Amino acid sequence: MVWLLVFLAVAVVIQSRQASAIATSRRLGQLEEQRGALEAEKAALERTIRLASSRRELGARAAQLGLHFPQDSEFTNFRLPAER
Amino acid sequence: MAKPAVRLTLIELVLALGAVLVVGRAAQLQLIDGATWRAEADRVRKETLVLAARRGGIYDRNGVALALTQEYFEVGVAPNELRDRSEDVPAIAAALGMPVSRVAAEVRTRKWIGYRGPFSGFQVRPLRGMHGVHIDGHFARHYPAGSLARGVIGALSADSARGVSGVEVALDSTLTGVPGLAVVLKDRAGRRYASPARNEREPAAGRDVYLTIDAELQEIAERAMDDAITEYQASGGDVVVLDPSTGELLALASRQTVDGTVITNKASFFTDPFQPGSTAKLFTAAALLARHRVDSTDAVFAENGVWEMSVTSRGDTRIIHDAHKSTGDLTLAQAIQVSSNIAMAKFSQRLTALEQFEALRDFGFGSPTGVEYPSESRGGLRPPEKWDGYSKASIAMGYEFLVTPIQLAAAYASIANDGILLTPSLVREVRDPSGRVLYRHQPEPVRRAVPSVVAARLRAYLGSVVAEGGTAEGAQLRDYSLIGKTGTAVRNEGGVYKAGTYTASFAAIFPANDPQLVMIVKVDNPGGVRVYGGQTAAPITKNMLEEALAARTSAIDRRRLSERRPDAPAVGPRSGIAPVDVASHDQIVSLPLPTDSGESKGQSLVPNVAGTTLRRAANALHRRGFRVALRGAGTVLRTTPAAGESERYGTVVTVWAE
C-alpha cells in the first residue's frame, strides 16, 4: 500500500513538473515571438526615420524653402568648450 | 484417447512452445532487429528540424545599420478550418493590410489561400492562435538605410541563405551563422508536441561586419552622382572617397544609365576600368622626378597648342593638341597646372618604356588592389615590349592604359600619404554576436611608390591646378585648402575613340597640409556644353566637400582643420550671417585636450559614459583622444566600441543615447 502511495506521489510530481515545463516553454515561445515582432516594428520605424531624415529627403525640402547647403566659408568650426 | 496425464503433458508442451515462440520473437524484435524498429519508431514519433541561424548584420563604420536579417512570415488560410468567418475574415484583412472584400471573396471560393507577404512579426501577431491560419517564418534581409551603398553590400540568393554579390558574397562564411537542430515529438496525425527540451543544438547567429563606409559621406556621394547625371546630362559616373592614412574607403557611389534607367546598385568603381586622361599625368611626373630626369627649371616648348610628333623612324607622325593653348616654354609643374599634353609627351621621352611602366606598376596600376570585394578588375597596362613609338607619350597623357576608380584613388592616396601605397579596405571590423571584436583593420602598406620628397613635390604641383591659372581654379574652397588634378579623356567604345564623347574626372586631396580625404569623381559622357573635368567633376568634388564639412559626419577630423588657408579671406558677414567673435568665448580650450592617464602607447581605453549626458560623454571621450559621433539625444546608453576596449587615438566612438 505504501509503495502504491509512493508511486502515485512520484507520478504526480513528475506530471506536474512536466506540465509546468511545457507551460513555461509555451510562454517562452510566445515571448520570443513577441520580441521578434517588436524588433521587426523597431526596424521598420528606424528605417522610416532614417529615410525621412536622409539628406535626399531633407535636402529637397530645404530647397523648396529656399535654403541651401552652406559653402565652406558660411560656417565656423567651434572648438570644444571646457566643462564649467 | 490418450491418458489424461499424457494430454496434460501435451498441453504443457504446446504452451511451453508458445511461450518459447513469444519469448523468441520478443528477443528477435528487441535484440536482433531492435535498432531497426527503434529507428522506425523514432521516424514515426519524432521529427528533426533545422533551425535557421540569423545572418550577421552589415553596418557602417559608426554602427549605422545597412543590412540586417529579420524574421518574416508567410500566412496561409484554410477556409474550412476557420471557426467564425464573420470575425476571422476582417481580422485577417486588417492584419495583412488587405481589403476585407478581397479576403472574403477568396475565403468563399478557395480551399487554400497563401499570402506570401513577406509580413513582419508585428503584422501577424494578431493572427497567432487563430484556427485555420497557418504562419510560416523565414529569415530575410532588411535594409534600414534603403538603397544606400547597395552596390557595395551586394545581394543574397532568393532564399536569403547565401550571398551572391558584393560584401555579402566576399564575407559569406563570416556572415553566415551555424544552423541549430531540434527534435520534436509527433502524434499519429503528425501534430507536433511542444517540448521544453526540444533543441539539441541552438542556432548560432553569424558575425556582424562593420564596413569602413561612412553613411553620411556615402549619402553625400550618391546624391552628388544623382545631381551630376541631371546637371551635366551624364550617362553615369563614380565617386570614391578614401582615407589616405589608413586606406579605408569612406564612400563609394556608382550610377550608370542603361536605356534611360539609372542603375544604382552596380560597383563600377571596382569593376569598370576607364582611360584616366590627364589625372594620370601625375604618375609620369612622379617617374621623372624620382629618377631625376627633370629639375624645377627644366622646360619644354609648348608648341602653341599643336605639335606633330614623330613616332617612328619611317617618319610617321601623330598630332597632339592642348585644350589650354600655351605659348612659350612649360616646366613640369606648369605642364601639370595647365594639363599640357604636348609638354608631358615631350617630358615622357626622357624615360625608357620600362621605367614608365615600372612607375605605373609601383602606383598599383595593372593589378587588383586587393580590396575585399569579389569581382575587382585589374585595369589594363600592357608590358613595355608591346608599346609602340607613340605609347610613352600616350600613356603620359593618360591613354593606352585602363584604371579603375579605386586604383586611381589608391594611387593618389599614396601621394597624400608621403609616397606609401596602402591596400584599400572595405572592412573595418568583424564582431561576434556578443559584440566582441574578432578582426580590426590595420593599414596594410604595399610598397613605397615614390620617395617622400617626390610625393611632397607632386602635392605642390596639385596645388597649382586649383590655383589661379590652373585647370580647376573654380574648385578651390574659400577657407580650406583642396588640391587635385583634372582629367578629360576621349571615350573609347568598342576599340574606337568616339569624338565628342568624354570621361571627365577629378582626383582631389583634402586638406592640402594634412590630408584626410582622397576623392575621385568621374563623370561619364557629360552631354552639355561643360565636358571638361574642371567644369564637371571638380565642381562636384567641391560641393561634396562643402556638404561634408557642414554635415555631422565623423569622417573629417575637424581638430585637424584648425589651420585655415593662409591666403583665405578673413571671415566676415556674408549672406546675412553675423561674424563670430571667437575672442569673446572665455571657455574655449585648445585641442587636442590633455589626455587622461591610463593609456598605452598610441591607444586609450574607451571610458564608461553610460548614464551621463551627451555633453559629458563627448568631453570624456575627447579627453581620451577619441573622435565622437552622436546618435540620439538624452542620457547615454552605450558606446561603440564598448567601454573598456582599447582603441587607437582618433578612433571614432559612436555614442548611442535614448
Side-chain angles (χ1 to χ4, degrees), chain B residues 391-409:
Chain B
S391 292
K392 282 197 293 182
S394 186
I395 286 172
M397 293 184 279
Y399 289 92
E400 282 196 36
F401 78 111
L402 298 165
V403 306
T404 58
I406 190 78
Q407 283 177 326
L408 196 59

Side-chain angles (χ1 to χ4, degrees), chain B residues 64-272:
Chain B
V64 175
L66 301 175
L68 298 175
T69 287
Q70 293 215 314
E71 196 169 15
Y72 285 92
F73 299 88
E74 294 176 12
V75 175
V77 178
N80 290 342
E81 296 174 21
L82 294 176
R83 286 190 173 162
D84 184 349
R85 290 188 181 188
S86 62
E87 280 187 11
D88 293 344
V89 167
I92 293 168
L96 305 185
M98 292 176 177
V100 177
S101 56
R102 178 185 156 188
V103 178
E106 287 173 336
V107 164
R108 264 198 313 277
T109 55
R110 292 164 60 178
K111 289 183 177 172
W112 173 261
I113 313 151
Y115 298 112
R116 294 184 63 83
F119 302 105
S120 71
F122 200 75
Q123 281 178 286
V124 301
R125 208 166 142 196
L127 305 180
R128 291 197 182 277
M130 187 183 285
H131 264 268
V133 174
H134 304 266
I135 299 169
D136 275 330
H138 62 273
F139 284 125
R141 231 23 174 173
H142 166 74
Y143 299 95
S147 62
L148 196 75
R150 287 292 280 279
V152 176
I153 295 168
L156 295 180
S157 56
D159 59 357
S160 298
R162 60 193 165 77
V164 292
S165 65
V167 169
E168 295 276 23
V169 69
L171 298 179
D172 197 41
S173 59
T174 301
L175 289 161
T176 305
V178 180
L181 276 181
V183 176
V184 291
L185 297 179
K186 295 189 296 184
D187 64 10
R188 280 186 303 176
R191 286 175 301 207
R192 293 169 187 161
Y193 285 112
S195 165
R198 63 177 205 149
N199 286 9
E200 290 199 341
R201 189 180 72 210
E202 292 291 340
R207 295 163 187 132
D208 294 327
V209 171
Y210 287 71
L211 301 179
T212 55
I213 296 291
D214 180 283
E216 192 89 28
L217 213 52
Q218 177 71 22
E219 208 181 329
I220 290 170
E222 292 191 7
R223 202 175 127 91
M225 272 295 97
D226 289 335
D227 292 348
I229 288 176
T230 311
E231 190 172 347
Y232 301 111
Q233 300 157 42
S235 65
D238 296 291
V239 172
V240 176
V241 184
L242 184 148
D243 180 343
S245 62
T246 62
E248 293 181 352
L249 292 159
L250 300 170
L252 293 159
S254 165
R255 293 290 185 269
Q256 304 291 324
T257 306
V258 178
D259 299 331
T261 306
V262 179
I263 297 171
T264 60
N265 60 357
K266 211 179 159 197
S268 52
F269 32 77
F270 292 138
T271 58
D272 292 8

